[in-house]
Amino acid sequence: MRRRPHRPARPSRTRTGPRHHRASPRPRHRFRIVVPLVVLAFVVSVLLTEGYTTRTFPGDQEGRTGRPATGVPREVTGGGPVVDTTRDHPSTYRVPDRTVVLTFDDGPDPVWTPRIRAVLDRHGTPGTFFVTGQQAVRHPGVLRAVIRSGHEIGVHTFSHRDLSTRSASGVDRELALTQLALAGAAGINSSLLRMPYSSTTAALDRADWSVARHLGDKGYVLAFVDRDTRDWQRPGARAIADAAAPGAPGRGAVVLMHDAGGDRSQTVEALDELIPRLQAQGYRFTTLADVLGTDSLTSPVDTGTLWKGRVFVAAVTVSGTAMSVIGVLLLVVGSLVLGRCVLLLVLARHHAHRRPHHAPGPPVTRPVSVVVPAHNESLCIAKTLRSLAAGDHPVEIVVVDDGSDDGTADIAESLGLHAVTVVRQPNGGKASALNTGVRRASHDLVVMLDADTVFAPSTVRRLVQPFADPAVGATAGNAKVGNRRGLLGRWQHIEYVMGFNLDRRMYDLLRCMPTVPGAVGAFRVTALRDAGTMSGDTLAEDTDITMALHRAGWEIRYVEDALAWTEVPTSLRQLWRQRYRWSYGTLQAAWKHRHAPAERGHAGHFGRVGLPLLTVFQILTPLLAPLIDLLTVYGLVFGNPLVTLLAWTGVLAVQTVCAAYAFRLDGESLRPLWALPLQQFVYRQLMYLVLVQACLTAANGYRLPWQRLRRSGDVVLPPPLSAPER
């Protein structure tokens, strides 16, 4: 006996009038266009800001020592570690005897800078911190604490670039951004600078000296070193302290250490040992400003510059927070994409290798009614009807002409095919036409297909076999692309085989099929009545009725060998219109049946399994998937291009494996898969935008009108699959 549903679903209102809807007001249309552009602009701005301000640098690199000095004045290479090129003739300054200037590069760091500052403060020792703009905008509070403690601040460029490899404009940009960061983070600017990767003045070459002269023209005093501790190598606290001690007894020195760029615990320990040792030897500690005989090399900025800096710091802060969120979302979407691929492969394999489902009782041989809704299908209707008439199962064919004005009904009648009935009605929409066809049907099993679809001879017979089980209310066939010539056709062919049909295998095993495709599906008339018949409440009547059948307690099966070839759009504009309607209709149907998770029995099973899978894999994941493309570009520009390309290739490889297996299961040639990599650059982005547009349309409360596609009538059965019995 047929398992009765636990409770009948409430009948849905059937739209009887044609699908004419009031045009959208212009502001709403602008809303659907402007919002995606604003979101895209925001994300791109975040990526650009974050990429430039947090681009990593090899901070733990050795200074360029021991290189021959060529093209540099001898008074500079043989002079002191502080170089002033702001005047026509350069001047150098040495640190006085028994005097040490402790300098720290690459900060401020939120962990190690405060610890180093605490050691200096405890010993009453001033330090000079050469900060990068990147770190300053990321940790402004740390920088302000250093300044409050009375320590000196110098510039170490914005992104720790080797200035000798940069153009003059590039150098100026580094300096301007760094000063902007200092202004926003601490309200100061600084005329003291240390070039990244520099060491002693003896190591200067012609390129370095050219940059040094340019920096002098900009008003900067340059700091080099006498003692490089190489603390970034982590040789141990004692070795760092020994390397910092002046080479000759009583000689003054500028000492280089680091407060960022890695683990600086040994540097902290070395300072606690070095400072008391040198103080005991009669050394004093000072700043570079004191060496130059000036009070300070920093000064407060004016109000305008202060606010520009604050806006800059705020922008970087927002971008950093947004980037953290984007990173989490990328992890989520990456896990979902890979998880979906694994789930589809595992379940598809199980579906393909399970024992064939033997329904109780003998095979279904009784006649079937076939309903074909048609509106202006003069190019397709003849081919569709002839394919049905050539089938190996007894059928009656009901063609419902839904207000066509191109002679569709006349063509159907003129074919003279047996058991074809043409019903004419005013245009009322597809759902209305299908309901008319079901009412005119003579049999209790009804097959439905679009008027641009061609059936194989065995399709109807295979499609109705699961109805031997009285619990089955509908079956979904295997829809394929019938006009797969051209790149766009191949992309859709890949999507149909890889996406739609792999999904249906998964949903079939989980007993939660969300859609019986309008191109090839069969229904028990009793089940249709239980579910409230076809409804015009949504633009995806096939998804709506499928969900209603689940809620009415009926099982739905997928019949992978019930083949149908349907016409797909041949232009991007037509594809956009079709997928826009599909996406919007799916959202409508999911919202309409949102109460299913709280129901009992099979309805609750569908609501707790089918609806979440639909939401996650057909709405949430595609909405987040553009992050993969955006962050791929981000990685190519700001990250490691090789690693980025390897990651992107890995994702593509997983998709290719899924596609190849899906093609193998469907008996399709693998040749079209050459277009899969190209699909990543145009087709996927189009699908993203379609879904975003549909979601915004739904959120805006606009009722999307029905959008009919232009037919070409060029559906053909591929030769390997066109035999009556495959």
Side-chain angles (χ1 to χ4, degrees):
M1 294 179 63
R2 178 175 65 83
R3 181 169 59 85
R4 297 297 300 173
H6 71 278
R7 70 176 182 86
R10 294 187 298 273
S12 300
R13 292 181 290 109
T14 301
R15 188 176 302 276
T16 57
R19 292 178 183 254
H20 295 307
H21 302 281
R22 183 171 56 89
S24 171
R26 194 169 188 82
R28 290 188 174 187
H29 177 70
R30 289 175 178 170
F31 170 83
R32 300 195 306 274
I33 296 176
V34 170
V35 169
L37 293 178
V38 170
V39 172
L40 178 62
F42 173 75
V43 174
V44 171
S45 299
V46 164
L47 293 177
L48 290 175
T49 303
E50 183 71 5
Y52 196 78
T53 58
T54 64
R55 199 172 188 176
T56 57
F57 60 88
D60 292 344
Q61 287 194 11
E62 185 176 356
R64 297 176 303 202
T65 58
R67 291 164 44 183
T70 58
V72 185
R74 185 168 299 176
E75 60 268 26
V76 173
T77 58
V82 183
V83 180
D84 183 358
T85 61
T86 60
R87 295 182 290 271
D88 293 338
H89 299 286
S91 303
T92 66
Y93 299 85
R94 293 187 182 277
V95 179
D97 289 344
R98 295 197 177 277
T99 303
V100 171
V101 179
L102 296 176
T103 67
F104 305 91
D105 283 5
D106 301 344
D109 182 270
V111 175
W112 300 112
T113 300
R115 297 185 185 184
I116 289 174
R117 177 179 60 82
V119 174
L120 297 176
D121 292 349
R122 187 167 62 252
H123 293 286
T125 302
T128 300
F129 291 81
F130 289 94
V131 301
T132 66
Q134 286 181 340
Q135 293 294 93
V137 295
R138 296 180 71 186
H139 311 294
V142 178
L143 178 62
R144 289 193 292 268
V146 170
I147 295 173
R148 283 196 299 269
S149 293
H151 301 289
E152 189 173 48
I153 300 299
V155 172
H156 202 43
T157 74
F158 188 79
S159 55
H160 204 277
R161 302 286 185 88
D162 186 347
L163 296 183
S164 66
T165 64
R166 309 292 291 175
S167 65
S169 61
V171 172
D172 292 345
R173 186 164 52 251
E174 284 280 322
L175 301 177
L177 288 176
T178 308
Q179 295 293 359
L180 198 60
L182 290 178
I188 64 168
N189 61 28
S190 175
S191 58
L192 177 64
L193 184 144
R194 172 175 284 157
M195 296 189 294
Y197 312 115
S198 63
S199 56
T200 64
T201 54
L204 289 170
D205 61 14
R206 188 184 303 273
D208 296 326
W209 181 241
S210 176
V211 175
R213 293 305 303 264
H214 180 74
L215 295 173
D217 293 341
K218 295 293 181 179
Y220 287 95
V221 174
L222 306 183
F224 295 89
V225 302
D226 291 308
R227 308 291 294 175
D228 185 353
T229 63
R230 300 190 183 185
D231 57 341
W232 54 270
Q233 292 182 335
R234 293 179 53 78
R238 173 63 62 86
I240 295 173
D242 291 343
R251 180 73 60 85
V254 175
V255 178
L256 171 61
M257 294 182 175
H258 296 82
D259 64 326
D263 184 349
R264 300 297 174 229
S265 57
Q266 292 183 1
T267 302
V268 176
E269 295 176 24
L271 285 171
D272 251 335
E273 177 180 339
L274 174 69
I275 295 173
R277 182 202 300 180
L278 293 181
Q279 286 175 336
Q281 296 175 9
Y283 281 85
R284 73 183 184 93
F285 295 88
T286 189
T287 63
L288 290 173
D290 183 56
V291 172
L292 289 168
T294 184
D295 291 337
S296 176
L297 292 171
T298 62
S299 59
V301 298
D302 58 66
T303 303
T305 304
L306 176 64
W307 281 104
K308 288 179 183 178
R310 287 178 176 176
V311 170
F312 179 65
V313 171
V316 174
T317 302
V318 170
S319 69
T321 303
M323 196 65 185
S324 299
V325 175
I326 290 173
V328 173
L329 293 178
L330 179 64
L331 179 62
V332 170
V333 72
S335 302
L336 290 175
V337 170
L338 293 178
R340 177 177 181 268
C341 288
V342 172
L343 183 64
L344 287 177
L345 287 176
V346 171
L347 294 183
R349 185 178 185 278
H350 180 62
H351 188 275
H353 291 83
R354 68 177 180 173
R355 292 182 178 180
H357 178 76
H358 296 286
V364 176
T365 58
R366 61 186 184 273
V368 174
S369 297
V370 180
V371 176
V372 185
H375 176 72
N376 290 341
E377 303 285 1
S378 59
L379 294 177
C380 312
I381 193 65
K383 188 179 295 185
T384 298
L385 296 181
R386 287 193 179 103
S387 74
L388 293 173
D392 59 9
H393 193 88
V395 297
E396 70 160 354
I397 304 171
V398 180
V399 179
V400 182
D401 182 83
D402 190 42
S404 299
D405 55 14
D406 67 344
T408 298
D410 296 335
I411 295 174
E413 291 174 336
S414 68
L415 296 175
L417 297 175
H418 176 68
V420 173
T421 301
V422 177
V423 179
R424 302 171 188 256
Q425 70 171 30
N427 178 236
K430 186 177 180 181
S432 173
L434 289 171
N435 287 331
T436 298
V438 171
R439 287 193 297 269
R440 294 294 296 268
S442 304
H443 307 293
D444 66 330
L445 297 180
V446 175
V447 172
M448 298 180 183
L449 73 157
D450 295 332
D452 62 343
T453 301
V454 175
F455 273 16
S458 62
T459 299
V460 173
R461 172 174 53 83
R462 296 179 187 276
L463 199 58
V464 298
Q465 294 310 306
F467 288 108
D469 182 351
V472 174
T475 59
N478 189 340
K480 294 177 172 292
V481 174
N483 55 330
R484 61 187 67 169
R485 291 174 298 184
L487 189 57
L488 188 58
R490 288 186 177 91
W491 285 341
Q492 292 177 84
H493 172 48
I494 293 172
E495 181 185 25
Y496 270 61
V497 175
M498 176 186 172
F500 299 161
N501 291 328
L502 271 187
D503 282 349
R504 290 192 179 105
R505 291 177 186 271
M506 174 185 72
Y507 288 127
D508 189 34
L509 281 177
L510 298 177
R511 298 172 50 242
C512 59
M513 185 80 62
T515 304
V516 173
V520 52
F523 299 86
R524 197 185 296 272
V525 173
T526 305
L528 284 175
R529 291 170 181 162
D530 282 348
T533 70
M534 294 289 180
S535 169
D537 290 345
T538 75
L539 294 183
E541 70 288 324
D542 48 2
T543 300
D544 186 10
I545 189 61
T546 306
M547 293 182 177
L549 287 168
H550 281 297
R551 297 185 67 189
W554 291 93
E555 296 280 350
I556 299 172
R557 300 275 166 76
Y558 174 54
V559 187
E560 65 270 17
D561 55 359
L563 306 178
W565 290 266
T566 188
E567 182 176 330
V568 296
T570 55
S571 70
L572 291 177
R573 179 180 178 84
Q574 292 287 307
L575 179 64
W576 177 283
R577 295 177 66 181
Q578 182 196 64
R579 298 310 173 85
Y580 190 19
R581 175 172 60 84
W582 285 8
S583 299
Y584 187 81
T586 299
L587 292 171
Q588 287 179 308
W591 179 255
K592 178 179 177 180
H593 298 282
R594 64 190 181 278
H595 300 299
E599 296 174 348
R600 298 180 180 179
H602 182 68
H605 172 79
F606 168 75
R608 291 184 289 273
V609 178
L611 278 182
L613 286 175
L614 179 75
T615 302
V616 170
F617 291 142
Q618 291 185 228
I619 299 175
L620 179 61
T621 302
L623 281 177
L624 297 178
L627 292 175
I628 296 177
D629 296 332
L630 289 173
L631 291 178
T632 297
V633 176
Y634 175 86
L636 292 174
V637 176
F638 295 109
N640 187 319
L642 179 59
V643 173
T644 301
L645 286 175
L646 287 175
W648 185 85
T649 304
V651 173
L652 179 61
V654 172
Q655 292 178 321
T656 303
V657 169
C658 288
Y661 188 62
F663 271 61
R664 179 170 173 257
L665 289 179
D666 266 21
E668 294 281 354
S669 168
L670 298 181
R671 283 188 300 237
L673 290 181
W674 68 263
L676 183 60
L678 298 177
Q679 193 183 46
Q680 314 304 308
F681 297 102
V682 178
Y683 192 83
R684 286 199 312 125
Q685 286 71 25
L686 184 69
M687 296 301 101
Y688 303 155
L689 294 175
V690 165
L691 184 58
V692 169
Q693 186 85 339
C695 290
L696 289 173
T697 302
N700 198 31
Y702 172 64
R703 171 77 182 192
L704 185 70
W706 184 272
Q707 298 175 329
R708 187 182 180 278
L709 302 180
R710 190 176 303 149
R711 304 299 188 195
S712 63
D714 58 353
V715 173
V716 294
L717 276 67
L721 299 174
S722 58
E725 291 290 337
R726 186 165 59 93

